[in-house]
Amino acid sequence: MAESPSESTSDSPTITTHSNAAETAIASISTPRSHHAVPDIPIELIGEEEMALLDAALAATRAILSPSLRSPSSSRVLSVGSSRSIRSITLLSKRKISGCTDMEDSYLHRFRRNQALGVTDLTGTEWCEKQMENVLLLGRRKVSKAMKLGQARHLELEEEVVRRIKVRVESTEDKWALKLANSIAGVNQFLFEGLTRELPLLGFVEGQWIVGIIDEVRKPPTESSDSCPLLIDTKTRHRDTLPAEPQRRNGKLQLMLYKLVWDTLVTTGFPSRPFFRYFSLNPHEVLSREVRDNMANAGITAQTLEEVVGYYENTFKMLAIAQDQLLLRYEFQKDQSLLAEIRFDYDREWTIRKFGEILDFWRGEREAEYTPEEERWKCRYCQFASACPGNPNLDSSASSPSSPPRETPLAS
């Protein structure tokens, strides 16, 4: 898996909320820090796991997305705060019956039913489909020290523009309202400040709901003739070298998927009726007083989730599509020094093709594939390697590389 903290797992509590006020859940809200006199606009600062089950792709159980709220100048974030018997993965992965797909036995139906696929679900699948299959069936990936350091760095970057407060939510509609409000607030911060971080996105792409959190969205330099937003992802490294090509490819795919969702929202809009239907939401339910008050402080005067969805759609309609050139940053964990900034061009055709291949796996159209032989050095870092037939170390005669290719050294 990629080493970005946003791709790593973290143990966050799953809190079920109820309409009964006595059983409401507490969420934390954050607002962006600014030196300018800008109105308070809520901004979301949550882990991908919380927001979109982005990282829940690495969990075997379903989790409830948790929101955050934030705003430019003093951002606010809202975060709402089973083991399985081991069966044959080979048998579980065979879902074809008489040439037809049994959708109810697909991973999408079993693990993301009425939920969106996260961008980290998609990049995790691209990294190794067999590892993703094992994670879904057998349990969460272990969190390494490097992942924890990466998470801490991302939190530090968030806190440069956001501070957290708490908001009480009383329903699923409340939580979704805050998630969308956080997106609206993040866009407002981008428009006011020229920069926002940890921007949550929810979009409908190629018949599938996708969620993601963009590390950073920045306006181009004033001297640039391009007015399109620049999408940036920051990854941390425990060594002062650039990663091998498969890791860079995975990071590029992540950014390209963010652009795909962003551009779809800007050009196609947000299908509100399918949204309410798919996530089983009541568009007309009046939101709780605390949620309404916090959104009003952020300039969002809405009474119902349907009104918040209207704000969300209109917010993205006034934006430009993202720049075709994307930016992938690598930092050294030890001292947070910048190792490299890799600029690359968006390849929509390649992104759509990879997206379709990944969806085929999730929808049960085909079985999971092992990572290519030349990339099986990844097995050294997989917790399931000791029992995986794709691991070259299980076969002493295997010639597959057991270590990654020489990583790119930095120029002296």
Side-chain angles (χ1 to χ4, degrees):
M1 297 289 292
E3 291 188 54
S4 165
S6 62
E7 306 296 320
S8 61
T9 60
S10 63
D11 294 325
S12 58
T14 298
I15 302 177
T16 303
T17 59
H18 306 272
S19 56
N20 185 335
E23 300 181 29
T24 54
I26 296 295
S28 56
I29 290 190
S30 79
T31 58
R33 304 177 186 278
S34 161
H35 300 294
H36 307 287
V38 193
D40 240 9
I41 303 171
I43 293 180
E44 173 161 325
L45 270 186
I46 52 174
E48 297 206 1
E49 231 177 308
E50 295 172 292
M51 168 68 183
L53 291 179
L54 298 182
D55 203 36
L58 305 172
T61 56
R62 294 173 61 183
I64 294 178
L65 304 177
S66 65
S68 303
L69 205 58
R70 88 182 180 205
S71 87
S73 320
S74 51
S75 203
R76 308 174 171 174
V77 167
L78 168 91
S79 48
V80 184
S82 120
S83 60
R84 299 175 172 274
S85 58
I86 298 177
R87 293 174 286 173
S88 165
I89 292 176
T90 302
L91 291 176
L92 285 167
S93 66
K94 295 182 177 178
R95 306 175 198 63
K96 303 281 187 177
I97 300 179
S98 302
C100 300
T101 301
D102 182 359
M103 281 301 295
E104 290 199 358
D105 199 29
S106 71
Y107 292 134
L108 189 62
H109 183 86
R110 293 167 61 194
F111 298 101
R112 297 293 181 274
R113 187 178 182 183
N114 298 329
Q115 298 171 357
L117 272 178
V119 170
T120 48
D121 288 333
L122 303 173
T123 57
T125 305
E126 192 275 338
W127 180 254
C128 178
E129 292 180 3
K130 278 294 182 181
Q131 184 187 68
M132 177 58 72
E133 184 177 59
N134 275 286
V135 164
L136 292 170
L137 297 173
L138 305 178
R140 182 183 299 274
R141 184 175 56 141
K142 295 176 182 176
V143 181
S144 67
K145 181 180 178 181
M147 292 176 185
K148 291 178 180 178
L149 289 172
Q151 287 176 320
R153 176 55 178 157
H154 267 237
L155 180 59
E156 184 178 341
L157 289 170
E158 290 173 354
E159 290 177 342
E160 290 178 2
V161 295
V162 176
R163 66 179 177 82
R164 299 186 177 190
I165 64 172
K166 291 184 177 180
V167 172
R168 187 179 299 274
V169 295
E170 300 180 9
S171 67
T172 303
E173 285 75 13
D174 276 355
K175 289 189 290 182
W176 272 108
L178 287 169
K179 291 170 192 174
L180 298 178
N182 283 324
S183 295
I184 298 164
V187 170
N188 286 338
Q189 184 183 28
F190 163 73
L191 294 174
F192 278 119
E193 307 280 335
L195 169 72
T196 191
R197 288 180 180 153
E198 300 302 314
L199 177 71
L201 289 180
L202 171 69
F204 192 65
V205 181
E206 300 290 312
Q208 177 61 49
W209 288 100
I210 302 295
V211 288
I213 299 179
I214 307 175
D215 280 0
E216 188 171 316
V217 183
R218 185 189 299 170
K219 283 186 178 180
T222 53
E223 63 273 12
S224 172
S225 59
D226 189 351
S227 61
C228 299
L230 173 63
L231 307 187
I232 303 169
D233 191 74
T234 299
K235 299 190 181 299
T236 63
R237 297 277 297 161
H238 68 281
R239 287 183 289 189
D240 59 351
T241 57
L242 294 182
E245 190 279 331
Q247 290 163 291
R248 296 198 297 272
R249 181 188 69 226
N250 197 259
K252 290 178 179 180
L253 174 62
Q254 183 174 347
L255 268 172
M256 290 191 200
L257 288 168
Y258 289 148
K259 176 173 166 57
L260 179 63
V261 177
W262 177 289
D263 290 356
T264 300
L265 281 168
V266 170
T267 59
T268 306
F270 186 82
S272 57
R273 288 184 180 178
F275 166 72
F276 296 125
R277 183 169 59 249
Y278 182 81
F279 294 101
S280 301
L281 299 167
N282 178 3
H284 307 297
E285 179 169 322
V286 176
L287 304 171
S288 70
R289 169 60 64 183
E290 188 164 347
V291 168
R292 282 181 284 145
D293 288 347
N294 276 278
M295 289 195 304
N297 291 336
I300 303 171
T301 54
Q303 300 293 312
T304 65
L305 179 58
E306 183 176 45
E307 292 173 355
V308 179
V309 167
Y311 271 103
Y312 182 77
E313 182 173 12
N314 290 333
T315 295
F316 278 92
K317 279 182 178 178
M318 68 181 181
L319 297 172
I321 61 172
Q323 284 188 31
D324 281 339
Q325 192 172 75
L326 305 169
L327 178 58
L328 187 58
R329 301 177 71 255
Y330 287 97
E331 285 187 0
F332 186 30
Q333 287 182 345
K334 184 176 180 180
D335 58 10
Q336 297 176 2
S337 59
L338 180 63
L339 297 177
E341 289 190 339
I342 300 175
R343 294 179 182 269
F344 62 95
D345 292 330
Y346 176 59
D347 186 337
R348 189 178 190 278
E349 184 178 339
W350 179 81
T351 306
I352 292 292
R353 184 174 69 252
K354 293 298 293 184
F355 181 48
E357 291 172 358
I358 293 167
L359 282 184
D360 284 347
F361 159 80
W362 279 91
R363 290 173 174 171
E365 297 292 335
R366 61 177 178 80
E367 296 183 14
E369 295 181 357
Y370 296 106
T371 193
E373 286 192 16
E374 65 273 15
E375 296 182 15
R376 291 192 184 173
W377 50 265
K378 296 174 181 177
C379 298
R380 292 181 59 193
Y381 308 96
C382 178
Q383 73 187 78
F384 307 105
S386 61
C388 180
N391 180 9
N393 293 328
L394 293 180
D395 181 1
S396 58
S397 64
S399 58
S400 299
S402 58
S403 60
R406 184 184 178 91
E407 293 183 330
T408 308
L410 296 173
S412 57

